[in-house]
Structure formats: structure tokens, C-alpha cells
């Protein structure tokens, strides 16, 4: 059986999904692409928005879309190092 | 206990350089953990950073105390009139060093244990203070406490890493280096245990600490050079 993804892995999967979509994504697409339930996605979205890794905007139809921020891109760039640091020290 | 009684004369000055190296290594780990905290917001990285920052400060305090005493003795020599004052300064420096060192490694152990309960803080602070105070006349108390902390860190680091899902070749090597590093640091503390018997233990302890932190910095170098 597959183990649960770590918090860092979930954040990485969400940000990678946004980046793969050209830096902007609709909430439903984000949910499917990052393989999360609606409830889990809402929880993680709140965290990502609060930490400035994603930003919320409105499209021309006044619907919510999420864009990746510079901090979010830095996270993706640093992700490998961060996971290796985490695994090396058993955090 | 006055310094010089603990170190062979030929080693004076070398210990200072080594302590500054230990400060740089632990400071680097603290900085990187804080950087991850800034990016992710997760508390365990902040606490890990705080733990290593305390250890780094412990080495700074030690280096500064030794530096002050070296200059004082070089200027004025060892005089009976100043012996009491120098001993007091040494003891204050040693006490602050032990408080920071114990607090740092206690935090690291608690992060590894995944314990995050603020109610424990006053109790831990009390136990750290009592251990540090008891270690002034009986240095083995401090060494035994740190040996215990390193033992916990080694076991927990190995156990926690096994629980991680993805393990790359790089991270396994880094993890082994970290475990080796903590193990050598434990041996270093074991060497200091014999300080009242043989002053060469001071040199052996420092060399082992250098090897331990070299393993940690090797691990950090592999991580930070990764693209």
C-alpha cells in the first residue's frame, strides 16, 4: 500500500500543477491534477495563500483562478534540497 | 576549575579555531532550516533552526570566554590576585555555554520525537538549568546528559528517515553522514568524560567533534550543491 504523501510533497504537487498549466489554474483543475479531495484542497489552498506561494485572482468571467507567485517558484526550485535536508535529518 | 587545567598548553589557540568552525557548521544548518521555514511555514523547521542556533551560540560563548582568558593570561600572566576573578569569568562562560548547548540539543531531540507541547518548556528549562549548574563542580553530569541526547538523536534520525517514503541515493548518503556525524559527536562527549583524568581528552574530544561536524557539513554540502 502506498504511504500518505508528506505535506511538502502535497505542496510540491499543487505548485507543480499550477506551473504545468502556465502559472494559472482553475480550482477544479488544481484539485484533479494534484490528486486531492475538495476538503483537503481547501485546507492546503488556505495554507498556500497565507504563505504567499499562490495568489488568488479573478478571470474575465469573474471566476477564481490561482497563480503561482515568485515565492512559489522559489519553493519548486528549492524543493529537492528541502526534501533531502528533511530526509537527511529525519525531520 | 580554571582553563589551562583542561587543555594541554600546546593546544591553546587551536581549540578556539575549532570552536569557530563548529559555530560556522551549526550556524549553516540553522540558517538553512530557517530558510525552509520561511518558504513552507512549518514549525518543525523553525524549531530545528532554533536548536542549531543555540548550539552555534554555545560555541561562540565558549570561544569568546577562551579568547578573553588567553589575552588576560598573555597580558598579565597567572597571578594569585586575579586567579579568583578569572575562575569566575571562566565559570560564567562555561555555564552559559552548557545552557545553550543543552537547550539546543534538547530542542533537536524533541523535534525528532515530534513533540510540540509548550507546557513542557518550563520543566525542560528547569532541568537544563539544574544540569548545567550541577555540571560546574561535576563536569561528568554535562557529558552524560549530552551523551544521552546524542544517543536519542542517532536513534531517532535513523528511525524517522526509514519512515520517509521516497529515498534518493543522495538523501540516503546524506542521512548516513548525519548519523555518522552525530555518532562521532557522541564519542567526542565520551572523550570529554575523561578530562579530569587526562588533559589529552580535551584534544581528542575536539578532534572528534571536528570529525563529527565535518560529516554534518559534508551532508549539507551534498544537499546544497544539488540542483
Amino acid at each position: 500500500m502506498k504511504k500518505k504523501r508528506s505535506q511538502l510533497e502535497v505542496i510540491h504537487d499543487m505548485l507543480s500543477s499550477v506551473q504545468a498549466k502556465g502559472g494559472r489554474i482553475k480550482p477544479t483543475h488544481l484539485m484533479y491534477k494534484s490528486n486531492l479531495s475538495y476538503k483537503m484542497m481547501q485546507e492546503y489552498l488556505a495554507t498556500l495563500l497565507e504563505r504567499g506561494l499562490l495568489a488568488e485572482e479573478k478571470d474575465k468571467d469573474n471566476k477564481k483562478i490561482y497563480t503561482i507567485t515568485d515565492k512559489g517558484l522559489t519553493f519548486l526550485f528549492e524543493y529537492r534540497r528541502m526534501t533531502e535536508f528533511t530526509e537527511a535529518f529525519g525531520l | 576549575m580554571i582553563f589551562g587545567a583542561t587543555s594541554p598548553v600546546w593546544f591553546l589557540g587551536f581549540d578556539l579555531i575549532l570552536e569557530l568552525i563548529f559555530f560556522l557548521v551549526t550556524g549553516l544548518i540553522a540558517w538553512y532550516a530557517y530558510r525552509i521555514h520561511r518558504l513552507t511555514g512549518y514549525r518543525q523547521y523553525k524549531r530545528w533552526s532554533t536548536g542549531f542556533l543555540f548550539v552555534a551560540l554555545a560555541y561562540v560563548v565558549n570561544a569568546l570566554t577562551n579568547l578573553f582568558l588567553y589575552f588576560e593570561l598573555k597580558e598579565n600572566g597567572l597571578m594569585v590576585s586575579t586567579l579568583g576573578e578569572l575562575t569566575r569569568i571562566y565559570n560564567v562562560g562555561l555555564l552559559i555555554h552548557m545552557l545553550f548547548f543543552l537547550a539546543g540539543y534538547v530542542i533537536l531531540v524533541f523535534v525528532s520525537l515530534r513533540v510540540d507541547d509548550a507546557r513542557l518548556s518550563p520543566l525542560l528549562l528547569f532541568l537544563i538549568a539544574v544540569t548545567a549548574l550541577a555540571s560546574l563542580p561535576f563536569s561528568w553530569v554535562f557529558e552524560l546528559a549530552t551523551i544521552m541526547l546524542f544517543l536519542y538523536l542517532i536513534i531517532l534520525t535513523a528511525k524517522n528517515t526509514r519512515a520517509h517514503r521516497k529515498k534518493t541515493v543522495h538523501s540516503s548518503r546524506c542521512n548516513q553522514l548525519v548519523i555518522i556525524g552525530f555518532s562521532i559527536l557522541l564519542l567526542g562527549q565520551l572523550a570529554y568524560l575523561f578530562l579530569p583524568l587526562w588533559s589529552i581528552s580535551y584534544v581528542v574530544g575536539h578532534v572528534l567533534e571536528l570529525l563529527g561536524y565535518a560529516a554534518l557539513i559534508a551532508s549539507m554540502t551534498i544537499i546544497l550543491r544539488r540542483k
Side-chain angles (χ1 to χ4, degrees), chain B residues 40-76:
Chain B
T40 64
Y42 290 126
R43 273 171 57 89
Q44 78 255 38
Y45 296 107
K46 191 179 172 186
R47 294 168 70 216
W48 193 255
S49 168
T50 310
F52 267 107
L53 182 68
F54 276 12
V55 177
L57 288 173
Y59 286 118
V60 170
V61 170
N62 214 18
L64 287 176
T65 310
N66 282 341
L67 189 70
F68 174 78
L69 292 170
Y70 292 148
F71 280 114
E72 192 62 30
L73 287 179
K74 209 173 171 188
E75 290 282 306
N76 306 319

Side-chain angles (χ1 to χ4, degrees), chain A residues 1-78:
Chain A
M1 200 177 81
K2 270 190 174 178
K3 276 187 189 174
K4 240 174 70 177
R5 284 179 292 176
S6 71
Q7 290 167 319
L8 279 185
E9 281 174 303
V10 175
I11 292 175
H12 172 258
D13 291 347
M14 288 178 80
L15 293 176
S16 296
S17 306
V18 185
Q19 196 188 27
K21 278 275 184 181
R24 296 157 66 87
I25 201 167
K26 289 178 183 172
T28 39
H29 288 174
L30 180 60
M31 188 172 81
Y32 296 131
K33 293 270 177 193
S34 48
N35 213 4
L36 287 169
S37 67
Y38 178 76
K39 193 176 167 234
M40 288 294 283
M41 187 192 68
Q42 290 300 326
E43 281 175 22
Y44 273 101
L45 263 179
T47 310
L48 295 185
L49 291 170
E50 186 195 332
R51 289 171 195 168
L53 298 167
L54 282 182
E56 194 180 276
E57 290 174 11
K58 301 270 181 186
D59 66 5
K60 53 182 187 275
D61 302 325
N62 210 26
K63 286 184 176 163
K64 271 184 200 172
I65 55 160
Y66 295 101
T67 57
I68 191 163
T69 61
D70 287 343
K71 200 175 169 188
L73 290 170
T74 311
F75 178 96
L76 285 178
F77 182 74
E78 285 280 332

Side-chain angles (χ1 to χ4, degrees), chain A residues 2-13 44 47-48 51-53 70-91, chain B residues 29 32-33 35-36 38-42 44-45 48 52 111 114 157 160-168 170-171 174-175 178 182 216 219-220 222-224 226-227:
Chain A
K2 270 190 174 178
K3 276 187 189 174
K4 240 174 70 177
R5 284 179 292 176
S6 71
Q7 290 167 319
L8 279 185
E9 281 174 303
V10 175
I11 292 175
H12 172 258
D13 291 347
Y44 273 101
T47 310
L48 295 185
R51 289 171 195 168
L53 298 167
D70 287 343
K71 200 175 169 188
L73 290 170
T74 311
F75 178 96
L76 285 178
F77 182 74
E78 285 280 332
Y79 174 72
R80 235 181 208 173
R81 289 180 190 159
M82 290 193 295
T83 43
E84 281 182 6
F85 181 85
T86 305
E87 287 177 13
F89 285 97
L91 289 174
Chain B
I29 300 171
Y32 194 68
R35 191 177 149 81
I36 301 180
R38 286 287 300 271
L39 268 176
T40 64
Y42 290 126
Q44 78 255 38
Y45 296 107
W48 193 255
F52 267 107
V111 175
R114 314 250 192 272
T157 306
N160 290 345
T161 308
R162 226 173 26 187
H164 277 282
R165 189 165 69 101
K166 285 180 192 167
K167 255 198 279 182
T168 60
H170 274 287
S171 65
C174 294
N175 179 246
V178 168
F182 284 144
L216 293 189
S219 172
M220 283 303 293
I222 294 172
I223 292 166
L224 294 176
R226 193 101 158 94
K227 287 191 179 130

